């Protein structure tokens, strides 16, 4: 029996619709599942260490490595060893990657506008406060083991 009136159902449905819209817009830019999240982080933090990127994305290093290999093949990013630590791989956007990043930013802005257009400014502030409260509360109840880290990524299903 389904309980559509449960908050969890409404949150999951909203998250799915948002992911579907994001996937649609990022596919139009030429990105595949998860790559938009990488572009967002690297675009704002060029030269981020690969291990730090995995941690920020809440994915395993192996998952990230496969994704970065595909992105290198698509000429979106390049990985180089850092000058201060030859063992650390750092991730940078290529010129093509910067062009795609700019189109991603436009897509994110468009989606964000669609999300907030149905709210009054004061309602948006309240919604943001509620979402932060939920995130903080739920993060206190999630185990930090390696079996669930990929599921924690905000755009894991992107």
């Amino acid at each position: 029996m389904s309980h559509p009136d449960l908050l969890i159902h409404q949150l999951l449905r909203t998250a799915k619709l948002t992911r579907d819209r994001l996937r649609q817009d990022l596919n139009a830019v030429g990105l595949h599942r998860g790559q938009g999240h990488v572009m967002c982080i690297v675009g704002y933090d060029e030269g981020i260490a690969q291990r730090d990127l995995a941690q920020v994305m809440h994915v395993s290093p192996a998952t990230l490595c496969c994704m970065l290999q595909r992105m290198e093949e698509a000429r979106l990013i390049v990985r180089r060893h850092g000058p201060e630590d030859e063992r650390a791989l750092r991730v940078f956007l290529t010129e093509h990657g910067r062009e795609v990043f700019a189109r991603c930013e436009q897509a994110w802005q468009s989606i964000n506008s669609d999300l907030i257009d149905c709210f009054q400014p004061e309602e948006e502030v309240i919604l943001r406060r509620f979402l932060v409260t939920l995130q903080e509360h739920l993060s206190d109840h999630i185990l930090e083991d390696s079996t669930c880290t990929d599921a924690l990524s905000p755009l894991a299903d992107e």
Side-chain angles (χ1 to χ4, degrees):
M1 172 183 247
S2 176
H3 297 281
D5 59 325
L6 293 177
L7 180 59
I8 186 67
H9 291 256
Q10 294 172 355
L11 287 172
L12 289 172
R13 178 71 177 140
T14 302
K16 182 184 181 332
L17 289 168
T18 304
R19 275 193 319 271
D20 289 349
R21 168 68 192 280
L22 183 61
R23 184 179 301 117
Q24 173 185 309
D25 287 10
L26 294 181
N27 282 347
V29 171
L31 296 177
H32 303 289
R33 183 175 183 248
Q35 292 178 341
H37 196 192
V38 172
M39 294 297 288
C40 179
I41 296 166
V42 176
Y44 291 111
D45 190 8
E46 284 237 30
I48 186 171
Q50 186 170 316
R51 69 178 175 278
D52 295 338
L53 180 58
Q55 188 175 23
V56 168
M57 291 182 65
H58 301 286
V59 298
S60 70
T63 297
L64 180 63
C65 187
C66 292
M67 187 180 309
L68 293 178
Q69 284 175 334
R70 288 189 303 271
M71 293 179 77
E72 278 183 315
E73 291 167 5
R75 298 177 302 109
L76 295 168
I77 58 114
V78 63
R79 292 181 280 183
R80 294 191 297 258
H81 292 282
E84 68 283 345
D85 183 357
E86 284 293 317
R87 296 170 300 170
L89 278 175
R90 300 200 167 272
V91 184
F92 300 87
L93 295 178
T94 62
E95 190 59 40
H96 174 61
R98 284 185 195 89
E99 294 168 8
V100 172
F101 174 69
R103 294 186 357 236
C104 287
E105 282 188 302
Q106 292 171 346
W108 295 319
Q109 289 298 325
S110 173
I111 294 167
N112 192 68
S113 292
D114 287 349
L115 288 171
I116 62 174
D117 278 352
C118 60
F119 295 105
Q120 296 297 319
E122 59 275 3
E123 292 173 322
E124 179 190 350
V125 170
I126 293 168
L127 175 61
R128 286 179 185 272
R129 202 173 319 139
F130 285 159
L131 291 172
V132 167
T133 299
L134 281 172
Q135 292 165 11
E136 289 171 351
H137 178 74
L138 290 172
S139 68
D140 291 341
H141 294 85
I142 294 176
L143 299 175
E144 289 296 328
D145 68 5
S146 62
T147 60
C148 66
T149 54
D150 285 356
L152 295 177
S153 174
L155 302 177
D157 292 328
E158 175 190 306

